[in-house]
Amino acid sequence: ILVMCHQLFPMLTSWVKRSSRLKWLHNENMESNFKHACGLAIELVSETITSLKRDRNRYDFDTEVAINSLLQHVMVLLNACVKQPLEGIARVGCSCIRHLLFSTGKQLGDHLN
């Protein structure tokens, strides 16, 4: 979780923000690479949350704090994606939010309602 929060998601977020300033995501290859990286990252988050919630022996307050931190970093990335003027990147952000909610919604608990 630490690596995802402090390496993976800040790198992807800076990729999105830099691309909006430099307009280099108009290259279809770069856009495709970002979509793939973002999708794999969200799948990793989904699997991580599901596996942590499933293992009741290791689950404690620190795990809950780590999951909340992870979700905050994910939402910063997806927020940056949704704000993009490129339709493809904005759609990826929306799709990733939807996937994250559908795949981990039951594990997130009632306190988020």
Side-chain angles (χ1 to χ4, degrees):
I1 292 178
L2 186 67
V3 172
M4 285 189 278
C5 288
H6 295 287
Q7 291 291 318
L8 179 62
F9 291 114
M11 185 270 306
L12 288 173
T13 303
S14 69
W15 190 359
V16 170
K17 290 179 179 179
R18 183 178 53 225
S19 70
S20 69
R21 286 193 313 263
L22 300 176
K23 306 291 185 208
W24 57 273
L25 257 181
H26 287 291
N27 181 345
E28 288 181 20
N29 205 14
M30 295 299 278
E31 185 176 343
S32 175
N33 289 342
F34 177 78
K35 288 178 182 180
H36 188 73
C38 192
L40 288 174
I42 298 304
E43 185 60 29
L44 178 63
V45 169
S46 173
E47 289 176 6
T48 301
I49 291 173
T50 302
S51 68
L52 286 174
K53 290 285 191 165
R54 194 176 306 137
D55 189 8
R56 297 284 180 197
N57 296 331
R58 290 185 2 196
Y59 191 77
D60 58 1
F61 179 75
D62 291 335
T63 306
E64 188 72 29
V65 169
I67 289 173
N68 288 340
S69 175
L70 179 62
L71 288 172
Q72 286 175 344
H73 282 87
V74 168
M75 292 312 293
V76 167
L77 168 66
L78 297 179
N79 187 26
C81 289
V82 170
K83 290 180 179 179
Q84 286 299 304
L86 288 171
E87 183 180 359
I89 301 301
R91 285 178 181 246
V92 166
C94 293
S95 296
C96 287
I97 292 171
R98 186 179 318 112
H99 175 71
L100 194 60
L101 287 175
F102 285 143
S103 63
T104 62
K106 292 181 181 178
Q107 286 90 17
L108 294 178
D110 295 331
H111 68 282
L112 294 175
N113 291 335

